[in-house]
Amino acid sequence: MKDLFTPYEIKDLKLKNRVVMPPMCQYSVTNKDGIATDWHYNHYVSRAIGGTGLIIIEMTDVEPDGRITDFDLGIWSDEQIPALARIVDACHSYGAKVGIQIAHAGRKAEDAAVPVSSSAVPFDADSKTPRALTTEEVKGMVEKFRLGVKRAIQAGFDVIELHGAHGYLIHQFHSPLTNQRTDEYGKDLTLFGTEIIRAAKSEMPEGMPLIMRISAQEYVDGGYGIKESLAFSKAYKEAGADIFHISAGGEGPIAAAGKPGTHAAYQVPLAREIKYGLNVPVIAVGRLDEPALANAVIGNEEADLVAVGRGMLRNPYWTLEAGVELQKDPGIPRQYAFGFPRIKG
């Protein structure tokens, strides 16, 4: 029987447990140059000391105007590699594997003078109207993602995640709500995403898995649901995505047509649908902060990995405490052993 502390392996990625720290923006690049700071170093390394199996660095953008805000991380310059490599090396020294979420905010780039998107459709009445990328600019954006992945490999990351969720640029292309193009990228809504996947894989070592994060359901009028996300995820799987990180929402102001749940594990059914519908490994996320619940998601084989977001913001040692609660050995550092109850058995 699998549980939260059963090791997990896919291709060359070997995780000591199934706990994932999902990407969560810190908005802490004070110099606005996209370079990780001491805050990022301490933030991520503390979770490695805290026993997390896989840490995914927050949304890291492929061009300056691809950031949500100017305080976000970037991966558009070689100057951004050393600070990321320092974080990766330190996390490795404490037994964690490290991924990075590579992205572009598209129309949700708040600080861009004129944001870009698949089409000139603003997020809401208070947002800037984006400029639709030309066909050639779309191809150039695929290249920017490729170069971002190349830099991530140079920084030593163990896995790459592409951000195709939460209303950011890849999501804007595969959503009929925001992709109103008439060129090849409008005729095939998955073309942009599949080209980015192939470009990423061209830079990645053969044994390195690629994660695609998706919103499996949109909570807006006319938004897509699980049927549509199964279809575009199938295209992404065929293009080379190895793992799917299943979230929801983000493509527009939430409407009465559909509201996300606020109960524990409300997105797990979506993860389960993708897992069994496409026969792919999935990461479940969304209000899974209770160890027994996270453990049940693994034990019931609803997902392969569990991401703990807010719980890990509150407590960098969430994984250690979960192990104690579940009577599993979470690998408590000897320096901290006196602070934890002895595990029975």
Side-chain angles (χ1 to χ4, degrees):
M1 177 69 73
K2 301 182 183 73
D3 60 50
L4 201 59
F5 290 89
T6 303
Y8 181 75
E9 183 173 340
I10 178 171
K11 303 178 87 169
D12 289 346
L13 180 67
K14 298 178 181 180
L15 305 177
K16 63 182 180 181
N17 58 47
R18 295 173 183 244
V19 181
V20 178
M21 180 184 186
M24 295 175 283
C25 288
Q26 297 296 292
Y27 306 110
S28 296
V29 183
T30 51
N31 290 337
K32 301 183 180 182
D33 55 7
I35 297 174
T37 66
D38 282 347
W39 173 267
H40 298 93
Y41 179 88
N42 292 320
H43 173 63
Y44 292 112
V45 176
S46 63
R47 275 70 185 177
I49 294 171
T52 309
L54 174 62
I55 294 166
I56 306 178
I57 301 291
E58 67 203 75
M59 180 172 170
T60 305
D61 301 292
V62 299
E63 67 173 4
D65 281 348
R67 294 172 291 180
I68 304 171
T69 78
D70 288 347
F71 296 97
D72 293 351
L73 291 178
I75 199 157
W76 65 79
S77 167
D78 289 352
E79 294 178 357
Q80 293 156 343
I81 296 173
L84 292 170
R86 176 174 173 249
I87 293 171
V88 172
D89 290 345
C91 289
H92 282 168
S93 72
Y94 296 110
K97 297 299 173 67
V98 193
I100 184 170
Q101 185 185 73
I102 296 180
H104 190 294
R107 69 177 187 168
K108 295 178 82 172
E110 298 172 8
D111 290 340
V114 181
V116 298
S117 184
S118 52
S119 302
V121 181
F123 178 72
D124 58 25
D126 298 322
S127 300
K128 299 170 185 174
T129 298
R131 178 180 64 82
L133 292 161
T134 67
T135 303
E136 285 306 308
E137 285 175 328
V138 176
K139 295 181 186 300
M141 193 66 72
V142 173
E143 176 68 3
K144 289 176 182 179
F145 271 86
R146 183 188 70 79
L147 291 172
V149 171
K150 181 178 181 179
R151 293 185 182 101
I153 302 303
Q154 292 172 345
F157 285 97
D158 302 291
V159 62
I160 303 296
E161 177 170 289
L162 297 175
H163 201 347
H166 301 162
Y168 299 118
L169 191 60
I170 296 175
H171 185 166
Q172 289 162 33
F173 271 82
H174 68 227
S175 173
L177 291 174
T178 43
N179 188 338
Q180 301 173 6
R181 304 175 69 91
T182 57
D183 66 356
E184 59 193 291
Y185 293 98
K187 293 173 183 175
D188 178 359
L189 302 190
T190 65
L191 182 59
F192 182 56
T194 56
E195 286 187 347
I196 290 174
I197 290 169
R198 293 189 185 107
K201 298 288 274 194
S202 75
E203 293 292 341
M204 295 167 62
E206 184 69 25
M208 180 181 289
L210 176 68
I211 303 170
M212 174 61 85
R213 194 171 204 192
I214 66 161
S215 287
Q217 179 173 331
E218 292 181 313
Y219 296 106
V220 292
D221 286 322
Y224 66 71
I226 189 65
K227 179 181 177 181
E228 293 80 8
S229 59
L230 277 164
F232 69 67
S233 295
K234 181 180 179 182
Y236 292 157
K237 176 188 176 183
E238 291 172 352
D242 299 292
I243 306 171
F244 285 82
H245 192 167
I246 311 302
S247 189
E251 186 49 8
I254 293 171
K259 295 184 178 181
T262 56
H263 53 279
Y266 72 99
Q267 292 179 151
V268 170
L270 298 171
R272 184 174 58 241
E273 288 277 353
I274 298 291
K275 175 178 172 63
Y276 290 104
L278 296 180
N279 191 28
V280 292
V282 299
I283 304 171
V285 67
R287 300 187 181 275
L288 297 173
D289 296 354
E290 291 300 321
L293 176 59
N295 196 51
V297 170
I298 300 298
N300 291 333
E301 299 187 345
E302 296 176 288
D304 302 272
L305 301 165
V306 170
V308 178
R310 290 175 177 83
M312 215 169 280
L313 288 180
R314 293 192 299 270
N315 179 10
Y317 309 109
W318 184 94
T319 308
L320 300 182
E321 294 197 343
V324 171
E325 181 174 324
L326 297 170
Q327 290 295 300
K328 302 292 181 181
D329 181 5
I332 297 169
R334 61 173 180 79
Q335 298 93 332
Y336 291 171
F338 192 68
F340 287 86
R342 183 180 176 85
I343 296 173
K344 299 175 183 178

